[in-house]
Amino acid sequence: MTDLILCGCGGKMGAAVRELASAREDCRIVAGVDLACQNSGLHFPVYRALSEVNEAADCIIDFSHPSTLPSILNYCRTHPGTSAILCTTGYSEEQTADIRDAAEELPLFYSRNMSLGINLLIELAKKAEAVLGDAFDVEILEMHHNQKVDAPSGTALMIADAVNEVRENNMKYAYDRHSQRKKREKNEIGMHSVRGGTIVGEHQIIFAGRHEMITLSHSAQSKELFASGAVNAALFMKGKGPGLYSMSDLI
């Protein structure tokens, strides 16, 4: 049995993780952390801060807010053997650097998207870029619900970073074309965001060449797929030593 602490237990993703974990026999949520969530109706205690949690756990699953990161890293430092699944998007460059540094002493699993399909899409995008090269322009379109705060999505940035890696990190990201009065440059990756309704998550990578276009896409139809990825990552991380793990390790 893997014991979990769920940060952001009152949010939409928290609800998806709660529902999934309750249906499984290999894990259980022993405590939740959420500023706004009341404990009514939940089968585990809910705290306003991770530092208040009394229950022991094998792993923390975080679907809350980037500001929670320092408390998660501190909790893992003061509770040896507890790993963290960092699923929150919107981390700054400084925070991602903190994650990399902390992984030298802590077992951390970090992915901007917990979907197996998205991570396969990224591998396909890398292969396409390696074959097509600079003869094709790359544009990335992402669509999410109207409550999502950060833009572009963390997944869109994952895709862009993967393509850029194939190009030896020589690409630059173009977020705001309407403010520019010039032709598109060859070393650009265009990033476009749509927010509306209840869209769970749509991502497209467009490779546009001369007289032809290739599009790779992924459509998330339920938040459950991200919850499933997070829970499977938690089971995978039980007993792991220090290091920065990702979906590629889980796959």
Side-chain angles (χ1 to χ4, degrees):
M1 180 68 69
T2 299
D3 290 335
L4 308 173
I5 296 173
L6 178 57
C7 290
C9 63
K12 293 181 179 179
M13 281 308 309
V17 174
R18 294 193 328 252
E19 182 177 357
L20 182 69
S22 66
R24 299 182 60 148
E25 298 181 353
D26 52 4
C27 65
R28 63 185 176 185
I29 301 173
V30 296
V33 178
D34 199 296
L35 282 173
C37 182
Q38 300 298 317
N39 197 32
S40 59
L42 299 183
H43 63 278
F44 52 82
V46 178
Y47 301 89
R48 291 179 58 84
L50 191 56
S51 59
E52 300 174 1
V53 175
N54 298 314
E55 289 73 16
D58 299 299
C59 187
I60 300 168
I61 294 179
D62 179 43
F63 274 111
S64 59
H65 188 272
S67 61
T68 311
L69 179 64
S71 64
I72 293 173
L73 298 181
N74 183 64
Y75 186 94
C76 291
R77 290 189 180 100
T78 56
H79 294 76
T82 301
S83 58
I85 313 300
L86 304 173
C87 311
T88 298
T89 62
Y91 286 128
S92 66
E93 292 184 4
E94 292 77 12
Q95 287 174 311
T96 55
D98 289 342
I99 293 171
R100 288 193 295 270
D101 291 342
E104 295 182 5
E105 57 173 323
L106 303 173
L108 303 176
F109 188 107
Y110 174 50
S111 177
R112 290 168 174 156
N113 192 298
M114 301 302 295
S115 161
L116 176 62
I118 277 290
N119 285 273
L120 174 59
L121 180 75
I122 290 172
E123 293 302 316
L124 294 174
K126 291 167 64 176
K127 178 64 175 179
E129 177 60 33
V131 172
L132 301 173
D134 60 7
F136 283 70
D137 298 323
V138 181
E139 298 283 309
I140 297 173
L141 171 66
E142 57 95 354
M143 297 180 283
H144 286 86
H145 53 86
N146 56 21
Q147 300 300 302
K148 187 171 178 61
V149 177
D150 56 311
S153 68
T155 301
L157 291 170
M158 279 179 67
I159 297 168
D161 289 347
V163 171
N164 194 17
E165 182 181 342
V166 176
R167 289 277 197 101
E168 299 181 347
N169 295 314
N170 291 322
M171 307 291 283
K172 64 180 183 179
Y173 304 162
Y175 302 100
D176 188 17
R177 294 197 190 282
H178 84 274
S179 64
Q180 304 177 19
R181 300 287 294 178
K182 63 177 184 179
K183 294 181 179 180
R184 187 191 196 283
E185 297 180 12
K186 293 297 295 182
N187 66 334
E188 288 182 358
I189 297 178
M191 307 281 282
H192 312 279
S193 299
V194 174
R195 297 289 177 268
T198 58
I199 303 171
V200 176
E202 306 276 339
H203 291 86
Q204 297 181 11
I205 312 106
I206 300 168
F207 295 89
R210 186 173 176 82
H211 306 307
E212 62 178 336
M213 183 174 71
I214 298 170
T215 302
L216 303 175
S217 65
H218 177 271
S219 176
Q221 299 176 354
S222 169
K223 292 181 182 296
E224 182 179 330
L225 69 96
F226 307 119
S228 178
V231 171
N232 286 333
L235 270 62
F236 167 78
M237 288 296 290
K238 185 175 182 178
K240 290 289 190 297
L244 186 57
Y245 302 83
S246 68
M247 284 298 290
S248 61
D249 298 299
L250 177 60
I251 295 171

